[in-house]
Amino acid sequence: MTTNDPVGRMVRAWTTFDESLRNGSGFDEPAYDALTAALRACAAEWAELDAVPRLGANVLLDIFPATAANAALYGGVDADRVMRAAYELHALAGHCVALRQEPGRPR
């Protein structure tokens, strides 16, 4: 992993976003934006691959449950925002591992 590859960016963005929630600092919008951008970059990079890097898969597995668990640290609209983010991140993680459509094959 280099400092500028998609997996490295995703791991750094995830760590920053997750830590801000876990330590009670609240929802870090710039960290969330960096994470969603990193997930989109990974989805594009991995679109034609048959497998994703192990470190990337590890983050993808943790994104939803960790973010949803962090929502319990907050209340009201703050908790709602964290849960919305959990579902948005879950959808982006799904794009990272989506199967490519074979030409001429029905979905």
Side-chain angles (χ1 to χ4, degrees):
M1 177 176 81
T2 64
T3 58
N4 202 27
D5 69 313
V7 175
R9 286 192 308 271
M10 180 179 63
V11 168
R12 284 188 306 281
W14 165 242
T15 300
T16 301
F17 178 69
D18 182 52
E19 285 178 355
S20 73
L21 292 175
R22 275 189 299 120
N23 71 20
S25 297
F27 195 94
D28 183 338
E29 200 69 46
Y32 179 74
D33 292 343
L35 178 55
T36 59
L39 287 167
R40 286 185 184 93
C42 285
E45 175 99 2
W46 300 340
E48 298 302 317
L49 299 181
D50 290 327
V52 300
R54 184 177 295 186
L55 181 56
N58 205 335
V59 171
L60 296 177
L61 286 172
D62 287 343
I63 277 181
F64 181 81
T67 306
N70 284 328
L73 301 173
Y74 301 90
V77 295
D78 293 331
D80 292 344
R81 175 63 181 116
V82 175
M83 280 307 300
R84 257 192 333 277
Y87 283 104
E88 291 165 358
L89 293 170
H90 178 71
L92 287 170
H95 291 291
C96 288
V97 296
L99 297 175
R100 64 182 174 263
Q101 179 66 35
E102 298 291 328
R105 291 185 93 179
R107 284 189 165 198

